Amino acid sequence: MNFDNINVPQKLVPDNYWQLGLAAQRPKQRGFKELLEKRKLPANGWPDEHIEELVHQIASLDSNNFPHKVGLGEREARITCRLVSRRHYNFGHGIGRSGDLLEAQPKAAGSTLLAHLTNALILDLMQGLGLPSCRGCFLVPMCTGMTITLCLQSLRKQRPHAKYVLWSRIDQKSCFKAITAAGLEPMIVPCLVQHQALSTDINAFQQHIEDLGAETILCLYTTTSCFAPRNSDSIVDIAQLAKRCDLPHIVNNAYGLQISTISRQLERAQRLGRIDYFVQSSDKNFLVPVGGAIVASFNQTLLHLVGSSYAGRASGSQTLDVFMTLLSLGRSGYHSLVQKREDNFNYLKEQLIAFAQSHGEQVIESRENFISLAITLGTLCVATGQGSSITQLGSMLHMRGVSGVRVVIPGQKKTIDGHAFSDFGSHQTNLEIPYLTVAAALGITQEEIDKFFKIFHKCWTKFSQSLSENKTKQ
Amino acid sequence: MNFDNINVPQKLVPDNYWQLGLAAQRPKQRGFKELLEKRKLPANGWPDEHIEELVHQIASLDSNNFPHKVGLGEREARITCRLVSRRHYNFGHGIGRSGDLLEAQPKAAGSTLLAHLTNALILDLMQGLGLPSCRGCFLVPMCTGMTITLCLQSLRKQRPHAKYVLWSRIDQKSCFKAITAAGLEPMIVPCLVQHQALSTDINAFQQHIEDLGAETILCLYTTTSCFAPRNSDSIVDIAQLAKRCDLPHIVNNAYGLQISTISRQLERAQRLGRIDYFVQSSDKNFLVPVGGAIVASFNQTLLHLVGSSYAGRASGSQTLDVFMTLLSLGRSGYHSLVQKREDNFNYLKEQLIAFAQSHGEQVIESRENFISLAITLGTLCVATGQGSSITQLGSMLHMRGVSGVRVVIPGQKKTIDGHAFSDFGSHQTNLEIPYLTVAAALGITQEEIDKFFKIFHKCWTKFSQSLSENKTKQ
Amino acid sequence: MNFDNINVPQKLVPDNYWQLGLAAQRPKQRGFKELLEKRKLPANGWPDEHIEELVHQIASLDSNNFPHKVGLGEREARITCRLVSRRHYNFGHGIGRSGDLLEAQPKAAGSTLLAHLTNALILDLMQGLGLPSCRGCFLVPMCTGMTITLCLQSLRKQRPHAKYVLWSRIDQKSCFKAITAAGLEPMIVPCLVQHQALSTDINAFQQHIEDLGAETILCLYTTTSCFAPRNSDSIVDIAQLAKRCDLPHIVNNAYGLQISTISRQLERAQRLGRIDYFVQSSDKNFLVPVGGAIVASFNQTLLHLVGSSYAGRASGSQTLDVFMTLLSLGRSGYHSLVQKREDNFNYLKEQLIAFAQSHGEQVIESRENFISLAITLGTLCVATGQGSSITQLGSMLHMRGVSGVRVVIPGQKKTIDGHAFSDFGSHQTNLEIPYLTVAAALGITQEEIDKFFKIFHKCWTKFSQSLSENKTKQ
Amino acid sequence: MNFDNINVPQKLVPDNYWQLGLAAQRPKQRGFKELLEKRKLPANGWPDEHIEELVHQIASLDSNNFPHKVGLGEREARITCRLVSRRHYNFGHGIGRSGDLLEAQPKAAGSTLLAHLTNALILDLMQGLGLPSCRGCFLVPMCTGMTITLCLQSLRKQRPHAKYVLWSRIDQKSCFKAITAAGLEPMIVPCLVQHQALSTDINAFQQHIEDLGAETILCLYTTTSCFAPRNSDSIVDIAQLAKRCDLPHIVNNAYGLQISTISRQLERAQRLGRIDYFVQSSDKNFLVPVGGAIVASFNQTLLHLVGSSYAGRASGSQTLDVFMTLLSLGRSGYHSLVQKREDNFNYLKEQLIAFAQSHGEQVIESRENFISLAITLGTLCVATGQGSSITQLGSMLHMRGVSGVRVVIPGQKKTIDGHAFSDFGSHQTNLEIPYLTVAAALGITQEEIDKFFKIFHKCWTKFSQSLSENKTKQ
């Protein structure tokens, strides 16, 4: 509703007070107009009230919210539990249309607008984060892995006879499963190990292409964000290789959008080579609940192929989360989050190096990893004589409220969908020294880092003591 | 929190008043205990306050809600926009674990519990709806079509060399796309047409199996709920065929859970034959926003294969919606919705027959369709001389707030993923007379039906007049 | 915000879908316009979404919600806890202005509008409930008693030398305290007792006036709604007396607005006599939380005197509750509540008479009490030999979830602000037989009445048994 | 609800994850226990979720929220509009009992507890703010003025023959109306004027007492927080006078609680003299919506007299606001607000002095005013030749979003309840130079102050120019 064209009687409120109130509405209304017409992320975040007002207004454009609707179809977006309708601001129709995520819905002008506007805002943000050549993107309400599967399925429609996906090994299950889920054949390209850090083996990629024949290969598949000491893949080199061999290239950029260096590398990779799709998680990059991913491309036509590969109509809940979050942050809010993360990463690194030095360990030098760090656990390993008990250290940290750290030890075997991985978790086959990883992801605070080191120190000491006690007993 | 073990001082409240207040809490606490321990849907719906209390309590078990959390991982379920965290009751971790939708999450005891409990409640409900042999089910936060794709992908892992999916034609895009999305080859089995109604051609199925060889066939794929005049597929017969030929059988039961006859047929089909998976939409059957599907099976092992085919961790938002909705309805609330729908379907049918008679048309007899009805538009067709303008009638209804009706006319060609369909929309290749479909889905009210016929009559009259005026002009 | 003058790009949503969405907004906008311009209660209730939208819009007119406010005063309606601001829809300025509840606030056009509009809607409702001559009313965010005190204080400004208030006894503490709180002298006029029912003693009133001299009397003070067996005061007669003697007359109409007979009597009393103010509770008549009262008058000037007697600015929270409730009910919703209550009162009466007959008791005939009923407890009294233990029966009911019933027994003495009352609770000085009262107030359900009689019967039996057992022991 | 005594099956969540979740609940539960048992404000603020959980739990103890309630009374706290019940967390019974704000309610253990606990937390906070001798306080859901009226009414019950209230003039309407509302006779004691600043005239007070006779005087009535250049009254001196003359003493401490100097003075005044009641606004001191006041005393018995003077049951909404706000801030949060305010007051003062110097004006030295400042507008006055047009400057500021500044000019007459005030607004009778006041109240930000001076400077310049233009024209 609005107060325009309403002659509010003096009996309700004196005209001069009223006019002052009305005048104060104008900047807000201007903000709404600009957002819808220009489809750019506002420079500064909006107050909650404005966000909710807009969201409610948009929802009221959907047919399930029409006062006099008559629903004779099999799907009318009726919501029976009012707690549910309230938490969805009465949105019920989801996004896309049977069989295309990007199509408009005749029954749901509001949901349609919300989806397209959110995608536009994400695009605007991404272009400003170092990806000016990005031509489009959209939110898919599935995880990063499944969204990569969707991209692979789209590529397969173009290259029906190609079945191999060349994949630079990274020990994160869903990255790998994204290939098998699509019914494709993964070719695992091991990383190069140099001083314990891991990086992309370009030559191995090239060799595989020559061996298999480019026509049998669906695409190259790289990853930017990962646990140390694995580095971000050399996406510029692989992109050049892809271009040379006329092969599609998909980048798993799961949590890379929060790191400006990675965005700039993606841009450069496309300029010098070829990237067809790059996919990022919405929860990790936008701090919303798990459940969505952003597929982006430097080529709009390619994007539409992905949209039309989704067999149905999809949840709009993830879109709403990202929409509200972006409006709440504004461009400046997001950039400030990114900056803080970078500062905290540097702080974490300094502290970790200091910790390592004082405990006879070292932080593995993985220069192309901008988010995760690995510290060796060699002295503990020597002390125990057997690496496996070192996972205890991880449990100790977890019990004290520290989440997200991982202790990686040699000798873990794992088979996923018929493919065997030795030393799973370490991204390599010959792990020698166990290590522990920590990350500084978006939203981390310096307070958390400080707390972590306190707890880490305490656990380390306790763990060392228990080791020497055990020895004594023996 | 709770008041047990708290010695509330008399200064705050006199003991006798306090005891009365405490006593009133007990039935609620008993309800919580029973729900968690027995994992059965309560007989009667809960008040909103109790639902929200439980949901908040469960969410507080997730690590992102721990007061003194220290998050050092790449994904810590931080939610930056408080509108978003509020609408998700602070749930952020989603469901499942990297690469398996059914796995427990170490960081998220609450999300894990919520997902498993919701699945248990759905199972309990389904068993009571005529499916006592159902052994398991779980909510997948993707649409019905994509969930069928997931099932197909799981089956492919078992039968890697089979590539055909035998599909009884139904003109709903995402049903078909579910096959191509999985990179499989659809074999379209046309329906039998009898007096304009369509039913499953069992013999054609059998012939295809013989022609292609069972080993090349991944599965049979049937559909229960669809637009009239297509009937629900003869799932009992197909199930028997599947059993005989040792072939998997998937049933698209999109909105069939709301129809007890269909549930009973599923149960019978399994008893006499074979069904591997049957998939139903969560929005259509539980009146929640679009975005989820329930995959169910009579065999628990088969289910786990689907769970572990999802490449990542998934949204928990749809789970929360279904959880709150089920608790809000209770068993009795759901059964009453089902009963009302059935009554309204019968009412709609009666009214439509009366309307048809008074307008020189007929309601096509499709006995095995329990939700949708088709009325011929023959007299209008004769009047226009050309069917195509009849779609106008649909627009007129839509403009007046009627949603969900479809006007189907002959001559519509459509190509989906390389497969050409003639007379698309009619599930057949030789549609002669145009028709209009209406459905009575869960949640429809008699008031809506009455309003519809008022509007339908008005539009029909107006449309007929415009036709005769046009003729006169000519 | 609104979508007018916004050129939504086709890229966001196709124009025809958009137009359909916009068209659906018009009835809502018309409803807003009409409400503000005509200030009449809508015929039918509004959906929650529309109510909240309007409330938010109104709140945005207050200066504390201006985006660029600069607050340099001592009171800027800052709200620091966001749970608090959320539950008040960001309203912070309260109503009225330092020293006048009806004045507009320069800083708060929205709060001003809300207060005046709510008062207008209440007035409209009251006029339609049988009070067409009512000229004004407003909500005071204090209880009924304190609001009566405020009326008395206003009258005192007009009649500074009068100190007595002639009050028809009713044993409800705050009715009486309303007089002493104002520092005035109550003259208690006992009721006439006829067959156990109590009614106004007009002659005693007249006698008092003659004895004290009209100039010493501030006003006559009567009550319409009360516990049986006291009847509503004969307000028409007292109003005539007031007119004849040129004396102000205040009516405590605490929960009388829900009873149409009482409203019609008020109207008649004013036509034939004189009523200055009549005051009703907002919680009892509008089913909102405790905390407000409505002061009404047939004379606007008199009302303003009350408004300007409040020494400060007052809470707007009660206004908001009534505003939202009235919009939610609409005129039809309120009338239907009133009708249901009347039906339930009749039902309760029938059932109570039947219960009395079968237990050897009687329902005291108090024809002019339209809400409360009293049943004698004579047989129990005889059985016990002493009335006092009968209060046990009340406790037993209370313990079983029955609230609001009162057991009144002879012999209770009470002194309030220096005035002694014998047989307090019974509105008389010579109560002989104990009784129990029950009421059928707005919102009661037949289900509650049925449950009550089940419990009542059980308790009665148990209590009787315990009495005979005690006797046997003796 | 709680998870104690619930055997959560492993099928729902593995035991080790579950235990971790449970362990994280303990600090919260400890916090609840401590709060209820010790009734002290927590050191640090609570997260919103914990606050809401506690509030919901408390509300569930009220009979209107009992699942199987049977309401047979005239007031059953039914809430018909769910938006209303939601915003009140289902609290409906208000606080106190018919005729005593401090009494417990048999129907409402929760509301009772909430009210008493809130009062205990406020007391704890006040004792820590420099008032260790404070013995009790409670929240009254009426404005400061009406609460003072209530105190006066209580005192009158003790001193029925005293009618005068000796009041140190302060030009704030409701301060004065508090006296007349109680039907008492104000004796206005003018302030002493020294270098334009105003302070308490102790001798005049003393003279009045001698002239009227102490027995005719109900009490002395002073004010601590006010607009500059009036100073806080010399409450220590007046308290000593009160003690000497055996007269009650009420202090209007409207927004004084936020200023530690004032709290310390109150404490000292009680130690050396006598204060019966001191009353403070809840909105100004706790940043909640307008509508409540805190009455406090160094003597518990005196407090109960006030509680039992309220004629009815009162709104609990204000209590809920303060409760949630205090828990949200914690002791440290409140102290930090207080400290920031003090810093900002000093900053405002510095800036204002600088502004005054550069514009040929001065900031009036009112050392005993710790919140408000006055800057002379002498040069503008000279320029205009007539003070009255200077109010224009105020409007200009207001139009630009500045609220709360006041331009005070000579010559304003006002009559309130029959008492004439000359130069109203200036607290004196011979105002010579107009001035403008600004205040730094709780919650003000430095950003606001900076914005203010920008706007002030702009308006000043514009106003001066318009003056000279006018002159030129003349």
Side-chain angles (χ1 to χ4, degrees), chain B residues 35-162:
Chain B
L35 180 76
L36 290 171
E37 296 190 347
K38 303 204 178 153
R39 295 172 296 137
K40 300 288 176 202
L41 188 57
N44 297 307
W46 286 8
D48 286 3
E49 287 75 16
H50 295 191
I51 297 173
E52 288 200 302
E53 184 179 346
L54 177 59
V55 168
H56 274 125
Q57 286 294 332
I58 296 177
S60 71
L61 298 166
D62 278 6
S63 63
N64 61 317
N65 298 320
F66 290 177
H68 298 294
K69 62 180 170 296
V70 178
L72 267 292
E74 85 291 0
R75 185 189 59 79
E76 293 293 341
R78 294 184 180 102
I79 307 178
T80 194
C81 174
R82 68 178 179 241
L83 292 173
V84 172
S85 67
R86 193 174 179 105
R87 85 183 197 86
H88 288 285
Y89 294 80
N90 304 313
F91 278 111
H93 279 287
I95 59 167
R97 200 169 169 187
S98 182
D100 194 334
L101 281 180
L102 297 174
E103 241 180 275
Q105 298 193 60
K107 279 185 189 175
S111 291
T112 301
L113 185 152
L114 184 76
H116 291 173
L117 182 54
T118 304
N119 292 337
L121 299 185
I122 300 172
L123 178 61
D124 183 40
L125 178 71
M126 287 174 72
Q127 291 177 334
L129 284 171
L131 288 158
S133 307
C134 185
R135 280 295 156 268
C137 67
F138 66 93
L139 192 151
V140 181
M142 300 195 299
C143 67
T144 307
M146 288 303 283
T147 303
I148 288 172
T149 300
L150 202 67
C151 292
L152 293 171
Q153 287 164 342
S154 310
L155 289 179
R156 180 167 48 197
K157 290 189 189 168
Q158 309 305 107
R159 302 169 64 84
H161 304 301

Side-chain angles (χ1 to χ4, degrees), chain B residues 1-2 5 7 9 11-12 24-25 29 32-33 36-37 49 53-54 57 60 66 86 90 116, chain D residues 1-2 5 7 9 11-12 24-25 29 32-33 36-37 49 52-54 57 60-61 66 90 116:
Chain B
M1 69 147 299
N2 65 88
N5 310 319
N7 301 309
K11 281 198 176 176
L12 287 185
Q25 309 307 306
Q29 178 67 16
F32 286 145
K33 185 176 165 69
L36 290 171
E37 296 190 347
E49 287 75 16
E53 184 179 346
L54 177 59
Q57 286 294 332
S60 71
F66 290 177
R86 193 174 179 105
N90 304 313
H116 291 173
Chain D
M1 70 149 297
N2 65 89
N5 309 320
N7 300 310
K11 282 198 176 174
L12 287 185
Q25 309 307 308
Q29 179 65 17
F32 287 145
K33 186 175 163 71
L36 290 171
E37 295 189 349
E49 287 77 14
E52 288 199 302
E53 185 180 344
L54 177 59
Q57 287 294 331
S60 71
L61 298 167
F66 291 177
N90 304 314
H116 292 172

Side-chain angles (χ1 to χ4, degrees), chain B residues 3 6-22, chain D residues 36-37 39 57-58 61-63 66 102-118 120:
Chain B
F3 295 118
I6 298 187
N7 301 309
V8 172
Q10 289 272 343
K11 281 198 176 176
L12 287 185
V13 58
D15 194 56
N16 49 341
Y17 301 175
W18 176 250
Q19 291 305 334
L20 217 62
L22 284 190
Chain D
L36 290 171
E37 295 189 349
R39 295 171 296 136
Q57 287 294 331
I58 296 177
L61 298 167
D62 278 6
S63 62
F66 291 177
L102 297 173
E103 238 178 277
Q105 298 194 59
K107 279 187 192 176
S111 292
T112 300
L113 185 153
L114 184 78
H116 292 172
L117 182 53
T118 304

Side-chain angles (χ1 to χ4, degrees), chain C residues 125-147:
Chain C
L125 178 72
M126 286 174 72
Q127 291 176 336
L129 284 172
L131 287 159
S133 307
C134 184
R135 279 297 154 271
C137 67
F138 66 94
L139 192 151
V140 180
M142 298 194 301
C143 67
T144 307
M146 287 302 285
T147 303

Side-chain angles (χ1 to χ4, degrees), chain C residues 310-311 313 315, chain D residues 95 101 118-119 122 126 137-151 252-254 257 278-286 288-296 306 318-319 322:
Chain C
Y310 189 94
R313 177 177 274 108
S315 168
Chain D
I95 59 167
L101 282 180
T118 304
N119 292 337
I122 301 171
M126 287 175 72
C137 66
F138 65 95
L139 192 151
V140 181
M142 299 195 299
C143 67
T144 308
M146 287 302 283
T147 302
I148 288 172
T149 301
L150 201 66
C151 293
N252 178 347
N253 190 35
L257 207 58
F278 54 107
V279 179
Q280 30 272 315
S281 145
S282 62
D283 57 289
K284 298 192 192 78
N285 292 295
F286 297 130
V288 293
V290 160
I294 316 292
V295 55
V306 179
Q318 288 84 344
T319 295
V322 171

Side-chain angles (χ1 to χ4, degrees), chain A residues 76-383:
Chain A
E76 293 293 341
R78 293 183 183 103
I79 307 178
T80 194
C81 173
R82 68 178 181 241
L83 292 173
V84 173
S85 67
R86 193 174 179 107
R87 85 183 197 86
H88 288 284
Y89 295 80
N90 304 314
F91 277 111
H93 279 287
I95 60 167
R97 200 171 170 183
S98 181
D100 194 333
L101 281 180
L102 297 172
E103 239 180 275
Q105 297 193 59
K107 278 187 192 175
S111 291
T112 301
L113 185 152
L114 184 78
H116 292 172
L117 183 52
T118 304
N119 292 336
L121 298 185
I122 300 171
L123 179 60
D124 183 39
L125 177 72
M126 286 175 72
Q127 290 176 336
L129 283 171
L131 288 158
S133 308
C134 185
R135 277 298 153 267
C137 67
F138 66 94
L139 191 151
V140 180
M142 299 194 299
C143 67
T144 307
M146 287 302 284
T147 303
I148 287 172
T149 301
L150 203 67
C151 293
L152 293 172
Q153 286 164 341
S154 310
L155 289 178
R156 179 167 49 196
K157 290 189 190 170
Q158 309 306 108
R159 301 171 62 84
H161 304 302
K163 67 173 182 179
Y164 296 111
V165 174
L166 264 58
W167 175 68
S168 181
R169 175 171 171 184
I170 167 169
D171 289 359
Q172 209 271 337
K173 255 163 104 181
S174 55
C175 295
F176 182 71
K177 284 195 155 186
I179 306 170
T180 56
L184 294 162
E185 195 59 42
M187 290 300 303
I188 305 169
V189 185
C191 290
L192 285 174
V193 189
Q194 289 168 309
H195 304 295
Q196 301 182 58
L198 298 99
S199 54
T200 323
D201 189 342
I202 319 280
N203 294 335
F205 263 90
Q206 184 144 9
Q207 193 60 47
H208 272 296
I209 297 173
E210 284 167 19
D211 294 352
L212 299 166
E215 69 289 354
T216 68
I217 294 170
L218 185 73
C219 69
L220 314 183
Y221 173 12
T222 55
T223 302
T224 58
S225 52
C226 54
F227 300 117
R230 187 192 187 282
N231 280 308
S232 168
D233 273 319
S234 308
I235 50 174
V236 177
D237 296 331
I238 297 290
Q240 287 176 311
L241 179 64
K243 192 177 190 179
R244 264 200 323 275
C245 304
D246 206 14
L247 276 171
H249 178 198
I250 289 184
V251 182
N252 178 346
N253 190 36
Y255 38 105
L257 206 59
Q258 61 191 290
I259 300 156
S260 43
T261 320
I262 291 183
S263 294
R264 284 193 300 270
Q265 283 182 6
L266 283 164
E267 176 79 14
R268 193 156 164 265
Q270 165 64 10
R271 191 154 44 76
L272 302 177
R274 170 175 178 177
I275 289 177
D276 293 68
Y277 301 116
F278 54 107
V279 178
Q280 30 272 314
S281 146
S282 62
D283 58 289
K284 300 193 190 76
N285 292 294
F286 297 131
L287 302 180
V288 294
V290 160
I294 316 292
V295 54
S297 182
F298 297 97
N299 176 326
Q300 266 198 322
T301 317
L302 280 176
L303 261 190
H304 279 99
L305 292 176
V306 179
S308 67
S309 292
Y310 188 95
R313 182 185 316 268
S315 167
S317 183
Q318 289 83 344
T319 296
L320 185 55
D321 290 342
V322 171
F323 182 69
M324 295 202 295
T325 299
L326 288 183
L327 285 185
S328 161
L329 287 171
R331 182 183 307 280
S332 62
Y334 191 80
H335 283 266
S336 137
L337 272 176
V338 164
Q339 187 56 52
K340 270 186 212 154
R341 191 210 70 84
E342 197 177 317
D343 296 347
N344 280 321
F345 175 70
N346 293 333
Y347 180 72
L348 175 65
K349 191 171 188 173
E350 283 167 27
Q351 300 296 105
L352 194 66
I353 289 172
F355 186 96
Q357 283 172 345
S358 70
H359 290 77
E361 303 287 351
Q362 57 163 318
V363 174
I364 303 174
E365 185 73 49
S366 49
R367 285 201 195 172
E368 294 297 312
N369 193 317
F370 312 98
I371 193 162
S372 171
L373 297 160
I375 177 174
T376 56
L377 304 177
T379 60
L380 298 182
C381 184
V382 169

